[in-house]
C-alpha cells in the first residue's frame, strides 16, 4: 500500500493553510505488516483510512495497492469501524452479509466464531447461528452484550477473507488493558495478513511493525515504538502523557 503526496479537504473550495484534512501524506505499508496510525482527534487518522477504503478520493496525489491505482482494485480490504452496526437479522446473516448461505459458508462462519471465542455464546442462543438479533428495543429477538457485538463485527471482517484488515478504533469503548488484549488477539487471528488500525492509545502499539503518527493532517513521524520513544517528537510526548493514565487503570 502506498500513499504518494496525498491531499484531501472536506471543503474542496479552500486551499488556505490548515484547511486540508490530509496534507502531502506519503507512506508505505508492506504485505503482512501490523501497523498503527496514531494522533489526536482531528489529526487525519480516520480520513487516511477512508481514502484507503475508497470512501473518499484524494484531491491530489495517488494511492496504490500492489503498484496499481486504488480505483482499479477491488475486494482487497475488510474494515471494522468504531460505529459498527449489528443488523436485525440472524447471526449468520450478520457474518456473511447475505440473505442465504450455503452449508459450507455456515460451517466457515462457525469456524470464525470459534476463533473469536464466540462459539459457546452463539451456540447457546435459541436458534444458534440462525437466531435473529434484537434492534431498536424489540423484545422478540436475542440481544448480545457490547463485547459480543464487537466480536461479531470482527467475525464479519474475518469471514470476508480479504488481503488486509482496517480497524478504525473498534475498541474505543474498552479500557487500555482490554484494548491491548483485543489487538494482540486479532493479530494472532489474521496471521500474515496486513492489518492497519487507528488508536488513541499507544500501549496497543508496542508490538507493531510500524507506527505512523499524524498531526493536523500531516504524517509527522514513522517507526517502531522503540525508535520513536527515543527521539523528541509527538510520539514521545503522547507516550509520556499516557503512562500515568495506564498505571491508574491498573496496567
Amino acid at each position: 500500500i502506498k500513499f504518494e503526496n496525498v491531499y484531501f479537504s472536506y471543503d474542496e473550495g479552500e486551499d488556505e493553510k490548515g484547511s486540508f484534512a490530509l496534507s502531502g501524506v506519503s507512506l508505505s505499508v508492506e504485505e503482512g505488516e501490523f501497523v498503527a496510525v496514531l494522533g489526536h482527534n482531528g489529526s487525519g487518522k480516520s480520513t487516511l483510512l477512508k481514502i484507503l477504503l475508497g470512501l473518499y478520493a484524494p484531491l491530489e496525489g495517488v494511492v496504490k495497492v500492489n503498484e496499481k491505482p486504488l480505483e482499479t482494485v477491488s475486494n482487497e480490504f475488510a474494515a471494522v469501524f468504531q460505529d459498527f452496526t449489528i443488523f436485525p437479522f440472524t447471526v449468520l446473516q450478520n457474518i456473511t452479509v447475505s440473505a442465504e448461505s450455503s452449508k459450507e459458508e455456515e460451517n466457515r462462519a462457525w469456524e470464525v466464531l470459534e476463533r473469536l471465542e464466540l462459539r459457546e455464546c452463539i451456540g447457546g442462543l435459541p436458534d444458534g447461528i440462525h437466531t435473529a438479533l434484537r434492534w431498536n428495543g424489540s423484545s422478540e429477538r436475542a440481544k448480545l452484550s457490547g463485547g459480543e457485538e464487537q466480536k461479531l463485527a470482527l467475525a464479519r471482517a474475518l469471514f470476508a477473507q480479504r488481503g488486509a484488515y482496517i480497524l478504525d478504533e473498534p475498541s474505543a469503548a474498552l479500557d487500555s488493558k482490554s484494548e491491548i488484549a483485543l489487538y494482540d488477539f486479532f493479530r494472532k487471528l489474521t496471521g500474515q495478513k496486513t492489518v492497519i488500525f487507528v488508536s488513541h492509545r499507544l500501549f496497543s502499539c508496542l508490538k507493531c511493525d510500524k507506527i505512523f503518527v499524524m498531526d493536523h493532517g500531516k504524517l509527522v513521524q514513522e517507526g517502531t515504538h522503540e525508535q520513536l520513544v527515543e527521539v523528541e517528537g509527538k510520539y514521545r510526548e503522547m507516550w509520556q502523557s499516557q503512562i500515568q493514565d495506564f498505571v491508574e487503570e491498573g496496567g
Side-chain angles (χ1 to χ4, degrees):
I1 299 169
K2 291 183 180 179
F3 277 62
E4 299 178 354
N5 201 32
V6 171
Y7 285 79
F8 179 80
S9 174
Y10 289 98
D11 190 343
E12 193 170 340
E14 295 185 8
D15 60 1
E16 297 178 1
K17 183 179 179 181
S19 66
F20 290 107
L22 293 182
S23 182
V25 173
S26 295
L27 58 82
S28 64
V29 177
E30 300 300 322
E31 183 177 1
E33 285 189 323
F34 195 78
V35 175
V37 183
L38 303 178
H40 295 300
N41 288 335
S43 63
K45 306 184 303 297
S46 293
T47 302
L48 182 80
L49 296 192
K50 289 175 181 176
I51 286 178
L52 177 58
L53 291 168
L55 301 178
Y56 300 132
L59 296 181
E60 297 180 28
V62 178
V63 180
K64 295 180 179 179
V65 177
N66 296 326
E67 299 300 331
K68 299 177 181 178
L70 179 63
E71 59 269 22
T72 67
V73 177
S74 62
N75 296 327
E76 285 292 333
F77 305 107
V80 181
F81 292 97
Q82 179 178 345
D83 53 348
F84 61 82
T85 297
I86 300 301
F87 301 102
F89 309 139
T90 68
V91 174
L92 181 60
Q93 289 168 337
N94 267 279
I95 295 173
T96 64
V97 198
S98 175
E100 297 183 5
S101 301
S102 66
K103 189 61 179 178
E104 180 182 354
E105 289 173 322
E106 182 176 338
N107 290 338
R108 188 155 62 86
W110 275 116
E111 291 174 2
V112 171
L113 292 172
E114 178 78 36
R115 294 168 68 194
L116 285 165
E117 300 177 353
L118 271 182
R119 188 181 185 97
E120 183 176 348
C121 166
I122 300 304
L125 295 177
D127 295 310
I129 202 169
H130 299 287
T131 302
L133 297 177
R134 191 170 73 180
W135 188 51
N136 287 347
S138 169
S139 60
E140 299 177 359
R141 296 165 182 253
K143 175 66 174 176
L144 301 178
S145 71
E148 290 163 350
E149 287 189 344
Q150 181 184 69
K151 285 190 174 183
L152 187 57
L154 292 172
R156 182 187 301 153
L158 289 171
F159 182 87
Q161 294 184 317
R162 301 295 189 234
Y165 296 94
I166 311 299
L167 309 177
D168 190 359
E169 296 197 86
S171 58
L174 301 179
D175 60 36
S176 296
K177 292 177 68 176
S178 298
E179 183 181 73
I180 293 169
L182 174 67
Y183 286 128
D184 283 347
F185 185 54
F186 194 77
R187 183 169 195 171
K188 292 175 183 176
L189 289 175
T190 54
Q192 298 303 309
K193 297 292 183 70
T194 304
V195 177
I196 304 174
F197 72 91
V198 161
S199 177
H200 281 94
R201 296 168 175 154
L202 278 63
F203 298 96
S204 304
C205 313
L206 300 184
K207 299 177 183 178
C208 285
D209 299 309
K210 191 179 292 181
I211 299 168
F212 297 119
V213 184
M214 302 292 296
D215 189 36
H216 293 93
K218 296 182 178 181
L219 176 63
V220 295
Q221 286 185 288
E222 173 183 339
T224 64
H225 166 76
E226 290 77 12
Q227 293 168 337
L228 296 176
V229 80
E230 291 296 326
V231 298
E232 291 287 345
K234 179 63 68 174
Y235 185 88
R236 189 158 79 175
E237 174 188 320
M238 294 172 66
W239 172 255
Q240 291 174 342
S241 71
Q242 290 186 21
I243 291 175
Q244 186 59 39
D245 292 338
F246 185 69
V247 171
E248 290 175 356
E249 286 183 5

